[in-house]
Amino acid sequence: MRQFNYIFKRMIQMIPVLFVISLIAFFIIRLVPGDPARLMLGEKATNDAVAAIRLKYGLDRPLPIQYLKFMRGVLHFDFGNSLKFQVPVWNLIVSRLPVTLALTFLSTAISLLISIPVGYYSGTHKGGFFDRLSNIWNLTAIAMPTFWIGLMLLIFFGIVLKILPVGGIGGGFWGHLKSFILPAFTQSLMTSALLTRNIRNAVVDIISQDFVDFARSKGISEGEIKNKHILKNAMISTVTLLSMRMAYMLGGSIIIESIFALPGIGKLTIDAIFARDYTVVQAVVFIFAIVVMVINLITDVLYSILDPRVKY
Amino acid sequence: MRKKKSSHKKVTFIVGSVIVGLVVLMAVFPRIFTKYNPIDVDVMASLSPPSLKHLFGTDNYGRDIFSRVVYGARIDLMMGVLGTVVPFFIGGIAGMLAAYYSGWFDRILIGLIDIMMAFPFTILVIVIISILGNGIINVYIALWLVGWMSYAKLVRGEVLVLKNSDYIQAARVAGFSDGRILLRHLLPNVVSAAVVYAVSDIVLCMLTGASMSFLGLGVQPPTAEWGAIMNEGKSYISYAWWITVLPGLIMAVTGVGFSLLGDGLTDYLRRKGR
């Protein structure tokens, strides 16, 4: 019940932020130099045709009225038609969102699978050979260009060894999974390095605290100390970092999807930007912001479960 | 044990400084490193693999990749440094004033940051560039518009803690002006955290700028820039790997150099602070 109230309160707090985000999305198309109506029709359109479009889409009306009309559409999942494809933008997004979400969640899963054991082991064996090796690797992984790593993996596994597809999305479950391996791994490199560093430092901090000694002197088993006392506490700060990284990776999908030719929202965004398809850009900005807000909400709830001291 | 650790730290710091020093040298005096002009076309030598004549091989126009990498260092380094310095000042000053005076300015600042943070970093940069148009200047503007928030948040947090500390209270009681307290008493104590962040931010800005060129949004051909070179080489990746592999390698090494330098600097500032 307490959790439910908290979620409700947080959702109320999201309303003003959503309002401003909608304003930003609304103005994107109007900030671009040039007349949106002419943008829709192309450079060669006659003045009459442009005037007709202006009337049809209400572009001649005052801005507040235009905004209300835009918002009424958004609430009905109607973001207008894509200027390039002439199909509803919402349909484009619905067909591509699963790819981007799958990529983001898979990258997150890989990052956690690597960073939890490595970070924990480094933290408990501070200063050892493995710890130093992991520190150097983390520094390196954070500083390397993602798009280059992606290309290197593509050359090695796709072109030299020919064991993974070089791009696109395969058929069936295994085909899908195979085409996600390289992109997700590339995407997870930087995140797993940052998370490993965070978990390692947290573990180093926690181990030296009194409550761990106390738990040990009470005769609690090492396994339980590891899971309940050390790891759980180390995850508290990690959860916040993870949510920031998930938001970052969502944006990073633009680069990853264009390297591996994955038909997701990221690829849609970059194609829309090149085609000056601003209705799509507008909608994508909106959707990305909402997904980030949902991720942040889930994080806050998770945080409150992990750390019972948090009061709402 | 302690000595061993500090010497190990020293080595990484030196390695980092040497790498960054070399890249700076490339950016300032490219002629020392190569005799080729980065945009000279030589169709006869097109797509030749790395050799003694062309260390990193050539691209489809027969341009020497190594000289393109050397001349590109200037732009990439500038993106990293300028992309960091401007937000450092804007964000730092905004964060300090907001925390020190609180009130409406602080509320607006925090509100603005909350909203901007709702957008993924890369999306924000790309959308800003798409509105402003392609080109290096617009990459800078996008990096500035997005980058200042981290500094504002960081410095604001530090000032909020220090503001109520005894020595600042004492300075107030002594009748020092706000300007003097901000500059002489608060600034020196909050600046080191921002500096440490800035060193890692250089890498982030450099990588972001290069990614934009890689996507075709930033630096436009025929200008030599690391991301742009790799973008041009992308189509030849299956038979002329050197166009993408080698410039990326230089970029990765540069990034690691800054990382090591930043790591050493963090350590130094932490010891000094103790």
Side-chain angles (χ1 to χ4, degrees), chain B residues 45-79:
Chain B
S46 100
L47 295 178
S48 37
S51 62
L52 281 178
K53 196 169 169 231
H54 297 287
L55 270 184
F56 282 11
T58 62
D59 64 7
N60 52 321
Y61 297 108
R63 295 178 297 195
D64 181 62
I65 296 293
F66 183 68
S67 79
R68 287 181 70 70
V69 170
V70 169
Y71 279 85
R74 188 176 295 178
I75 296 182
D76 283 276
L77 214 56
M78 286 271 280
M79 284 197 295

Side-chain angles (χ1 to χ4, degrees), chain A residues 20 28 33 132 139-140 143-145 147-148 151-152 155 247-248 251 254-255 258-259 270 273-274 278 285 288-289 292, chain B residues 8 115 118-123 126-127 130-131 203 207 211 214-215 217 230 237 244-245 248-249 252 255-256 259-260:
Chain A
V20 182
I28 280 176
R132 276 202 222 157
L139 274 179
T140 313
M144 289 204 286
F147 57 97
W148 181 68
L151 287 172
M152 292 307 98
I155 292 179
Y248 186 92
I254 291 193
I255 294 162
S258 60
I259 292 175
I270 195 77
I273 281 172
F274 278 116
Y278 288 103
V285 165
F288 269 123
V292 171
Chain B
H8 157 77
I115 289 160
F119 298 99
F121 177 79
T122 317
I123 295 286
I126 284 184
V127 167
S130 83
I131 292 172
V203 181
L207 294 181
S211 324
F214 179 75
L215 290 174
L217 288 168
M230 286 185 256
I237 201 160
T244 35
V245 174
L249 191 65
V256 173
S259 249
L260 294 176

Side-chain angles (χ1 to χ4, degrees), chain B:
Chain B
M1 185 64 202
R2 199 179 186 98
K3 199 173 173 209
K4 195 172 155 204
K5 195 186 168 219
S6 79
S7 76
H8 157 77
K9 280 277 171 196
K10 223 180 229 164
V11 171
T12 56
F13 185 70
I14 291 170
V15 172
S17 315
V18 169
I19 294 172
V20 173
L22 267 175
V23 179
V24 171
L25 206 64
M26 278 206 293
V28 182
F29 304 109
R31 275 165 204 278
I32 304 177
F33 294 86
T34 174
K35 59 179 200 267
Y36 293 103
N37 182 321
I39 52 170
D40 267 359
V41 172
D42 178 5
V43 187
M44 297 300 285
S46 100
L47 295 178
S48 37
S51 62
L52 281 178
K53 196 169 169 231
H54 297 287
L55 270 184
F56 282 11
T58 62
D59 64 7
N60 52 321
Y61 297 108
R63 295 178 297 195
D64 181 62
I65 296 293
F66 183 68
S67 79
R68 287 181 70 70
V69 170
V70 169
Y71 279 85
R74 188 176 295 178
I75 296 182
D76 283 276
L77 214 56
M78 286 271 280
M79 284 197 295
V81 173
L82 276 183
T84 302
V85 169
V86 175
F88 177 88
F89 281 107
I90 298 176
I93 292 171
M96 225 167 113
L97 295 179
Y100 189 72
Y101 291 109
S102 348
W104 62 268
F105 180 63
D106 191 39
R107 280 200 294 277
I108 290 179
L109 192 84
I110 288 304
L112 191 66
I113 291 176
D114 273 351
I115 289 160
M116 301 258 295
M117 291 267 181
F119 298 99
F121 177 79
T122 317
I123 295 286
L124 215 50
V125 174
I126 284 184
V127 167
I128 293 172
I129 296 176
S130 83
I131 292 172
L132 298 172
N134 297 349
I136 180 84
I137 300 294
N138 295 335
V139 173
Y140 282 133
I141 296 176
L143 286 176
W144 295 339
L145 284 175
V146 178
W148 65 273
M149 292 181 284
S150 314
Y151 293 96
K153 264 184 104 163
L154 192 75
V155 172
R156 180 180 175 274
E158 299 256 321
V159 172
L160 278 181
V161 173
L162 285 179
K163 188 167 105 166
N164 297 317
S165 64
D166 292 341
Y167 81 97
I168 297 293
Q169 297 294 343
R172 272 215 195 102
V173 173
F176 289 165
S177 68
D178 282 353
R180 180 162 175 179
I181 294 175
L182 278 168
L183 286 176
R184 296 281 297 275
H185 301 278
L186 279 173
L187 186 66
N189 289 300
V190 299
V191 83
S192 67
V195 168
V196 167
Y197 179 76
V199 178
S200 64
D201 199 24
I202 291 180
V203 181
L204 186 70
C205 286
M206 207 171 75
L207 294 181
T208 309
S211 324
M212 292 303 117
S213 307
F214 179 75
L215 290 174
L217 288 168
V219 175
Q220 298 298 309
T223 311
E225 188 277 338
W226 296 344
I229 300 171
M230 286 185 256
N231 183 31
E232 284 164 20
K234 208 170 50 179
S235 345
Y236 306 97
I237 201 160
S238 50
Y239 51 95
W241 53 270
W242 50 89
I243 312 176
T244 35
V245 174
L246 300 175
L249 191 65
I250 295 293
M251 187 163 184
V253 171
T254 308
V256 173
F258 273 107
S259 249
L260 294 176
L261 197 68
D263 199 41
L265 195 70
T266 314
D267 229 47
Y268 171 74
L269 286 172
R270 202 181 291 148
R271 271 204 305 270
K272 209 181 119 197
R274 222 181 264 153

Side-chain angles (χ1 to χ4, degrees), chain A residues 278-297:
Chain A
Y278 288 103
T279 43
V280 172
V281 176
Q282 201 174 35
V284 161
V285 165
F286 212 107
I287 299 294
F288 269 123
I290 287 172
V291 175
V292 171
M293 285 175 86
V294 171
I295 291 176
N296 288 343
L297 181 69

Side-chain angles (χ1 to χ4, degrees), chain A residues 65-118:
Chain A
I65 306 275
Q66 285 187 38
Y67 172 74
L68 286 178
K69 199 165 170 259
F70 167 72
M71 275 318 285
R72 202 176 60 198
V74 169
L75 292 175
H76 293 91
F77 301 109
D78 175 13
F79 287 90
N81 277 354
S82 152
L83 302 183
K84 187 182 160 200
F85 300 110
Q86 295 301 332
V87 294
V89 172
W90 181 246
N91 295 1
L92 286 175
I93 288 179
V94 167
S95 66
R96 285 157 187 251
L97 196 58
V99 173
T100 305
L101 291 181
L103 176 64
T104 308
F105 285 118
L106 210 57
S107 313
T108 308
I110 296 176
S111 309
L112 286 172
L113 279 177
I114 295 175
S115 60
I116 294 177
V118 174

Side-chain angles (χ1 to χ4, degrees), chain A residues 189-201:
Chain A
L189 266 181
M190 193 174 176
T191 302
S192 65
L194 287 167
L195 290 179
T196 304
R197 198 158 73 175
N198 197 70
I199 294 173
R200 180 231 177 235
N201 291 343

